[in-house]
Amino acid sequence: MSKGNRTRAALDRDAIARAALEMLDEEGIEALSMRRLADRLGAGTMTLYGYFRSKQELLDAAVGAAVEDFHWSPTEGTLRERLFTHQRAVREVLALHPSLPQLRTRQAMVQPAAFRMSEPAMRMLLDAGFPPDDAARTFRVLFVYAIGSMLFGPEELTPAQRRGVKAALLLLPEDEFPAIARMPDELTASMGGEAQFDYGLELILDAIEARAARYSAARSHQ
Amino acid sequence: MSKGNRTRAALDRDAIARAALEMLDEEGIEALSMRRLADRLGAGTMTLYGYFRSKQELLDAAVGAAVEDFHWSPTEGTLRERLFTHQRAVREVLALHPSLPQLRTRQAMVQPAAFRMSEPAMRMLLDAGFPPDDAARTFRVLFVYAIGSMLFGPEELTPAQRRGVKAALLLLPEDEFPAIARMPDELTASMGGEAQFDYGLELILDAIEARAARYSAARSHQ
DNA sequence: ACCTGAACACCGTTCAAGT
DNA sequence: ACCTGAACACCGTTCAAGT
């Protein structure tokens, strides 16, 4: 089996990037090779190099394609509520494209589309009275948290993974690990999934809300 | 050049894992191959398979070796101060072994040594009155933040990187990106480094401190 | 202009053979 | 018991050649 596994569609940068993204999300970053992708597209390997200078450039384009799927429109509500729905939208695009956090570790996201995620959050913080430097730093914390969460624990642990972690915990000498050894269930529950994501998001929003209150108080005293 | 580039030291799992870690930290995760590592150790490639069943198992051992370099001893002070110094120690081991966050994306850290990082933080939270489930979730937030920060922005952006990001920002249509387009300096400053790490850590500690106060108030009302 | 096979310098790992 | 070369099935990318 070498070519024609797929109907040969018109090739262009966008079609190739989307096919790469699909493969990345389905099979993981490790599994994407120029050869396998070309094969899937029914083309010779070297054909891809007519559209992208290198695999790296193709991966960049795949990131661009993934970020296109971020959708969020301004909602009513407090700063806290709006930041919450925004971060949930960020989580959603990362869940839709599980390869995105992994790709992000290889190169910065300087795709214009990536800024579509930061712009509205930034605007919310500035509107709430955050000075630009604090707004930037605060958004970065939210972003690092979201992408880190989806990289290190996008889903609840599977029963098999739970068992693995619990087995490791059981091996710990209890006198050296008194806290951890006694709470295997709580620890495995915290290792991924939506409830954990929301817990941390609410925690961070606690702090952001408190600071926003201070900024707005400072403004009304002027 | 094939072998004997290095003096041939006694080989064992630990020596191999440490050599792998050194290579990983120096040249990046991409650059470590069984062949190059064996060469560096002055051995045949297949010799390594006498000590590790697979590259994956070797990487696990490298993670174990890296985590050994985590050092923290309990300090005096408030919960906030102690969590702060603890997270700084976590940051330090991640800075010492920049490959660690990257390795962590490939497999969970179930090395016993990895729990040496969580145990003291967990104990602090439990002692401060956090119920076990909240303690686990709260620690996980700190951990995801620390490791995410060191993965996505361990250092300040270099001048070249700054220029790259600013160039990307300048390409954005200003009417669509009114917030972001006007604060290139604040944004690039937030993309990595120690000041950003501490900013986010303090933000999260704000929220943890507030919750600790609530837990301790609840306890004294019993 | 667009496409691509062959070749080069790499991988991880199996297998059979060396001491 | 410990080590390892050859071989297999892969990589990304260059180069020269096809239409």
Side-chain angles (χ1 to χ4, degrees), chain A residues 58-79:
Chain A
L58 170 58
L59 291 178
D60 281 333
V63 170
V67 174
E68 297 280 348
D69 286 334
F70 171 76
H71 298 294
W72 182 77
S73 36
T75 46
E76 296 297 310
T78 63
L79 172 69

Side-chain angles (χ1 to χ4, degrees), chain A residues 3 8 35 43-44 46-47 51:
Chain A
K3 59 173 62 178
R8 174 69 163 276
R35 290 163 133 103
M46 292 316 300
T47 305
Y51 298 90

Side-chain angles (χ1 to χ4, degrees), chain A residues 49-120:
Chain A
Y49 286 84
Y51 298 90
F52 298 94
R53 245 184 299 276
S54 66
K55 186 181 183 181
Q56 190 55 237
E57 197 180 291
L58 170 58
L59 291 178
D60 281 333
V63 170
V67 174
E68 297 280 348
D69 286 334
F70 171 76
H71 298 294
W72 182 77
S73 36
T75 46
E76 296 297 310
T78 63
L79 172 69
R80 180 182 191 118
E81 287 161 353
R82 282 177 296 137
L83 281 175
F84 185 85
T85 64
H86 180 269
Q87 285 299 107
R88 290 315 245 81
V90 170
R91 182 178 198 273
E92 225 156 281
V93 72
L94 297 178
L96 191 62
H97 299 297
S99 62
L100 203 39
Q102 291 229 38
L103 289 168
R104 191 38 244 278
T105 68
R106 316 233 165 178
Q107 68 268 328
M109 288 199 295
V110 282
Q111 312 294 326
F115 294 114
R116 286 186 33 248
M117 294 200 276
S118 16
E119 173 67 23

Side-chain angles (χ1 to χ4, degrees), chain A residues 152-167:
Chain A
F152 295 111
E155 316 259 357
E156 301 270 352
L157 261 49
T158 63
Q161 289 174 317
R162 286 184 110 83
R163 276 196 303 277
V165 173
K166 286 190 193 179

Side-chain angles (χ1 to χ4, degrees), chain B residues 22-33 36 99 102:
Chain B
E22 209 177 297
M23 213 162 162
L24 248 5
D25 286 335
E26 279 169 16
E27 306 182 47
I29 203 168
E30 230 53 46
L32 179 81
S33 76
R36 298 216 312 127
S99 61
Q102 291 227 38

Side-chain angles (χ1 to χ4, degrees), chain B residues 33-154:
Chain B
S33 76
M34 298 301 269
R35 290 162 133 103
R36 298 216 312 127
L37 177 61
D39 212 54
R40 176 136 124 169
L41 290 165
T45 305
M46 293 315 301
T47 304
L48 302 182
Y49 286 85
Y51 299 90
F52 297 94
R53 245 185 298 276
S54 65
K55 185 180 185 183
Q56 189 56 237
E57 198 180 289
L58 170 58
L59 291 178
D60 282 331
V63 169
V67 173
E68 299 279 347
D69 286 333
F70 171 75
H71 298 295
W72 183 79
S73 36
T75 46
E76 296 295 310
T78 63
L79 172 69
R80 181 184 190 115
E81 286 160 353
R82 283 177 295 137
L83 281 175
F84 186 84
T85 64
H86 180 270
Q87 285 301 107
R88 288 316 244 79
V90 170
R91 183 179 197 272
E92 227 156 278
V93 72
L94 298 178
L96 192 63
H97 299 296
S99 61
L100 203 39
Q102 291 227 38
L103 288 168
R104 191 37 246 278
T105 67
R106 315 231 166 180
Q107 69 268 331
M109 288 198 296
V110 281
Q111 313 293 328
F115 294 114
R116 286 186 33 248
M117 292 200 278
S118 16
E119 174 66 24
M122 218 60 178
R123 204 142 42 177
M124 285 186 247
L125 291 167
L126 292 173
D127 288 349
F130 281 68
D133 54 346
D134 283 359
R137 291 203 184 283
T138 298
F139 172 68
R140 178 76 181 181
V141 174
L142 284 168
F143 187 71
V144 162
Y145 173 70
I147 200 163
S149 293
M150 294 310 278
L151 181 60
F152 295 112

Side-chain angles (χ1 to χ4, degrees), chain A residues 118-163:
Chain A
S118 16
E119 173 67 23
M122 217 61 177
R123 205 142 42 178
M124 285 186 248
L125 290 167
L126 292 172
D127 289 350
F130 281 68
D133 54 347
D134 283 359
R137 290 203 185 284
T138 298
F139 172 68
R140 178 76 181 181
V141 175
L142 284 168
F143 187 72
V144 163
Y145 173 71
I147 201 163
S149 294
M150 294 309 278
L151 182 59
F152 295 111
E155 316 259 357
E156 301 270 352
L157 261 49
T158 63
Q161 289 174 317
R162 286 184 110 83
R163 276 196 303 277

